[in-house]
Amino acid sequence: MTRRLHRIALTAMILLASTATLAADTLVEKSDRTYPFSGQTFSLNNVNGSVKVGSWERPEVRIQAEKRVRSGDRQTAVEAMKALRVEVTNDRGGLHVKTHYPRKGNSSIALFDFFSGTKIDASVEYHITVPRGARVDIETVNAGIAVANVEGGFDLETVNGGIRIESGAGDLSASTVNGSIKAELLRTGSKAIELNTVNGSVQLSLPSTVRADLAVRTVNGRIRSELPLVTSESGKRILKGSFNGGGGFPIKVSTVNGSVTIDAN
């Protein structure tokens, strides 16, 4: 009898949670603002929500943000939307965006919130336009990052999401855990290129004239270079060598579960 009551109680709680989910309120708030830009770097910090960056020829940064909050209780959703803020600061170094999320309670409150239907899902999706020559630094957690036609260099980091760079130029550091990295650099900088993932492939496209020293490592995947490479070390899980005599800058690529491809653009 006790086990049967436990099963009934568990079933009731699941149905309650499901009903609350079906009745969940979703609030959406959009903003579109443009800021003067006189520095070198645009940086953005986020947690949930994709980040897409393009460029133009203006000394300004356009920030289009879509805030989204979902909760089983409308008043909770309204309060969470108020707490979900996009903070923009401008200094000599550049323009900086920080996303502030509603604070979560302790684990027991979070469990109660789940079964009462007041669990909060909050995210902010960004569409950014920066000057073509700006440096772009992006850090997020649960989303992908995509940048196109930016020539000032990149520092991109996420955990659950892919990273994609199209028609880029400058120094590059990109890191994720669950996602692939695809980067096209029409011109390289003078510093190291570093690409790291765990569960995903890496594809790097470079000018055929690039002078660099390559070091690639993977565990479960293939390594292939379509650029002519003078090899110093080669194996199933490692590839080292130099492009066009080397000596320019290092290129370091690593993944665990994925293949690596280096080609010419």
Side-chain angles (χ1 to χ4, degrees), residues 144-158:
I145 302 171
V147 186
N149 303 306
V150 176
E151 301 177 353
F154 315 88
D155 190 348
L156 311 176
E157 182 177 348
T158 186

Side-chain angles (χ1 to χ4, degrees), residues 174 176-181 195-203 215-223 236-238 252-261:
T176 184
V177 176
N178 299 308
S180 296
I181 299 174
L195 307 177
N196 301 289
T197 184
V198 177
N199 299 308
S201 61
V202 179
Q203 182 177 345
V216 178
R217 293 181 182 274
T218 185
V219 177
N220 301 306
R222 297 181 179 180
I223 303 174
K236 185 177 180 180
R237 299 179 178 180
I238 189 170
K252 302 176 181 179
V253 181
S254 70
T255 182
V256 176
N257 299 307
S259 296
V260 177
T261 302

